[in-house]
Amino acid sequence: MAHVITQPCCNDASCISVCPVNCIHPTPDEPEFASAEMLYIDPDTCIDCGACIDECPVEAIFPDDSLDEGQERYLQINADYYTDHDVSGGLVAPRKKPPLPAGKELHVAIVGAGPAAFYAAEELVKHSAIKVDMFDRLPTPYGLVRAGVAPDHPSTKGVEKTFAATAAKRTFEYYLNVEVGKHLNHDELLDHYGAVIYAHGASTDKHLGIDGEDLPGSIAATDFVAWYNGHPDHADRDFDLSAERAVIVGNGNVALDVARILLDDPGRLAKTDIADHALDKLRSSNVREVVLLGRRGIAQGAYTNSEFLAMGDMPGVDVIIDPDELVLDAASQEARDAGTLDSTIATKVRIAEEFAQRTPTDGNKRVVFRYLVSPVAIEGSDGVETVRCVRNEFVNAPDDSADHAGQSPRPASGRVAIKPTGEEFDLKAGMVLRAIGYTGLPLDGLPFDGAQGVVPNESGRVLDSSGGSPVEGVYVAGWIKRGATGGIGMNRICGQETALAVIADFTEGRLSEPAKSREQIPDLIAERGAGRVDGSGWKKIDLAERSAGKEAGRRRIKFVTIEAMESAARA
């Protein structure tokens, strides 16, 4: 018997360090970790000790004899990984805490309260001489774990337990409902703290850059996600769900999340922590079909295999794929013919082929996956009525490469070159959602790379805009550090890297003593009208939401306005 990692895997790698036989891969020290969709247990090496089960924060690991019918597919997915990946890398060695300067304390401000912020804090508070104050403009912490993870994925939100354990440390304090740039500025943070870590994420969406993108009914998937998750900035939005078809541009996990929410039975969603205003709207929705447009092929699908599989398990929803669109680029096809196609991509292709063979059921809703298709215009008089699309094809000659001029097209694991064929067609739709990624925004006092949407940095140390030298005491972590890629697992590695840079600079005497005390911060922000929510205030909000949810048979019922959150925090 062996253990199996299943869909909720968050890649935070905590299970790896407790495995006594090195059977969980990829490890953070292996190059595959950065791009891995999930972690995998080697069935031939696992000794069934169960240590990983207790360590997993999202309850994704099970003995193979206790898998339900839907989870049994992960037996093969775990085993497949080991057909073409070298797992000779050693165990992750426990990291020794470096000796800190005797008799000195370091006070660190962290701006942002999402996963990267918490993983940086977790590393810092291992040292009793380091005190952490975490700032966020909302009265609630956890960033996209609270406002981005789909409500029908409650197990993924289990990482909140890890964050809560960090926040419970004696050397950690919350400054929630405090906005940097309004109640405090960058220079004032540096005046009161020896180091400042910015982990405020990538808060806005990317644009398609096509005609009609600003029509009513053409929206960012990021806004829709925030709306159904009860983010207070979006709670008063209203979306027109009167049309039978919606089109989503993009085929990453966010696109699949939005498709599920649009098509799922509101009765099932009513058991989750979805915002009540969204649930009410979805109950009257007319959406019967969601079409997802992927500009490249099936092998380049940005969603994970676990999320792709889950689409086929939705009751009352058919997955529609045209087998003629399951075209591979030349490199992928060559690798597949030779039996050397990367196992993760091979699984993605196999799942798509299985979906393509399914027979639709009369009366079911539909999610339609389109590949090698791009939107070129959105048309309509008073709102979205039609999406004009063009079919694409792969470019297999270096001289014709649209994306990588002068280079051979990359294999399926990377970006491959495509070009439009000129063949256009129209899709009738009443709603278009762009799910093509997030990007960061500049913050006063910090250098910013507008093209990449990040703060220039080296291993988390912010670099100045003139000579590229490190700015003393200023750091970044998460999406504002590396771009809006990677989930919880990558944010853990990213946050830890930044925290270790802070510790190294402190240990080696590269951080100056702040001119003022952090003890002055509460009075300073109060003078500027900040209604700070501290740790006890957040606990009151959390308890009130969970108590209301328990009465209704749900995980929690969220407050969706700042005023309601502040009131609960003061109760």
Side-chain angles (χ1 to χ4, degrees), residues 187-399:
D187 290 338
E188 288 168 335
L189 286 172
L190 288 176
D191 281 345
H192 293 83
Y193 293 91
V196 181
I197 298 175
Y198 288 92
H200 53 287
S203 57
T204 192
D205 64 285
K206 294 180 179 178
H207 290 263
L208 297 168
I210 61 176
D211 289 343
E213 187 172 9
D214 295 328
L215 280 171
S218 173
I219 63 173
T222 55
D223 292 343
F224 193 72
V225 169
W227 170 74
Y228 67 62
N229 272 318
H231 192 294
D233 289 352
H234 300 266
D236 60 353
R237 292 290 301 270
D238 187 29
F239 297 104
D240 184 358
L241 305 181
S242 61
E244 291 193 358
R245 178 186 286 151
V247 171
I248 301 175
V249 182
N251 61 2
N253 281 350
V254 171
L256 268 59
D257 285 347
V258 171
R260 285 199 321 277
I261 297 301
L262 285 170
L263 294 172
D264 207 351
D265 178 0
R268 286 178 10 117
L269 293 174
K271 299 174 183 177
T272 73
D273 64 359
I274 190 170
D276 284 347
H277 58 253
L279 186 61
D280 290 342
K281 187 73 176 184
L282 290 165
R283 284 192 171 114
S284 60
S285 170
N286 290 330
V287 176
R288 303 284 304 170
E289 178 178 288
V290 175
V291 181
L292 293 99
L293 305 182
R295 64 189 299 260
R296 293 184 171 84
I298 173 61
Q300 290 78 39
Y303 43 71
T304 58
N305 286 332
S306 58
E307 294 300 311
F308 194 25
L309 268 175
M311 293 301 295
D313 295 335
M314 292 181 66
V317 179
D318 289 329
V319 178
I320 307 297
I321 296 177
D322 183 347
D324 291 339
E325 291 189 358
L326 297 180
V327 179
L328 300 181
D329 60 281
S332 296
Q333 187 61 58
E334 182 180 348
R336 194 183 195 197
D337 292 342
T340 59
L341 184 61
D342 178 89
S343 61
T344 302
I345 296 172
T347 299
K348 198 181 301 290
V349 175
R350 175 176 55 79
I351 294 169
E353 291 174 339
E354 291 174 359
F355 285 159
Q357 297 304 314
R358 290 187 179 183
T359 302
T361 302
D362 288 342
N364 272 5
K365 297 179 181 179
R366 295 157 46 103
V367 56
V368 183
F369 286 83
R370 301 295 306 267
Y371 300 100
L372 289 167
V373 172
S374 296
V376 293
I378 301 171
E379 301 170 345
S381 53
D382 298 321
V384 173
E385 297 176 6
T386 304
V387 183
R388 174 147 297 215
C389 303
V390 66
R391 298 185 190 277
N392 301 319
E393 63 182 2
F394 290 113
V395 177
N396 295 319
D399 291 342

Side-chain angles (χ1 to χ4, degrees), residues 141-190:
Y142 305 155
L144 286 180
V145 173
R146 177 180 171 96
V149 173
D152 59 346
H153 283 9
S155 57
T156 304
K157 301 183 184 186
V159 295
E160 292 176 1
K161 293 181 289 187
T162 301
F163 302 158
T166 296
K169 296 289 187 180
R170 192 172 43 81
T171 51
F172 179 101
E173 284 197 44
Y174 272 130
Y175 281 81
L176 304 174
N177 211 28
V178 178
E179 184 173 351
V180 173
K182 177 180 178 182
H183 302 121
L184 279 171
N185 63 39
H186 172 69
D187 290 338
E188 288 168 335
L189 286 172
L190 288 176

Side-chain angles (χ1 to χ4, degrees), residues 444-528:
D444 285 346
L446 291 180
F448 189 72
D449 181 344
Q452 302 297 321
V454 299
V455 173
N457 71 95
E458 184 176 327
S459 300
R461 295 179 176 91
V462 171
L463 303 177
D464 65 36
S465 54
S466 54
S469 301
V471 180
E472 181 187 328
V474 187
Y475 306 82
V476 282
W479 283 1
I480 197 64
K481 169 185 173 183
R482 67 182 195 278
T485 60
I488 292 171
M490 182 50 62
N491 277 316
R492 179 172 194 169
I493 303 304
C494 178
Q496 288 175 339
E497 178 187 57
T498 296
L500 291 173
V502 173
I503 293 168
D505 290 349
F506 178 50
T507 302
E508 295 168 20
R510 291 195 286 263
L511 298 180
S512 303
E513 288 284 339
K516 300 176 183 177
S517 169
R518 69 191 274 264
E519 304 298 332
Q520 298 172 328
I521 293 293
D523 289 340
L524 178 61
I525 61 174
E527 290 171 3
R528 296 174 181 174

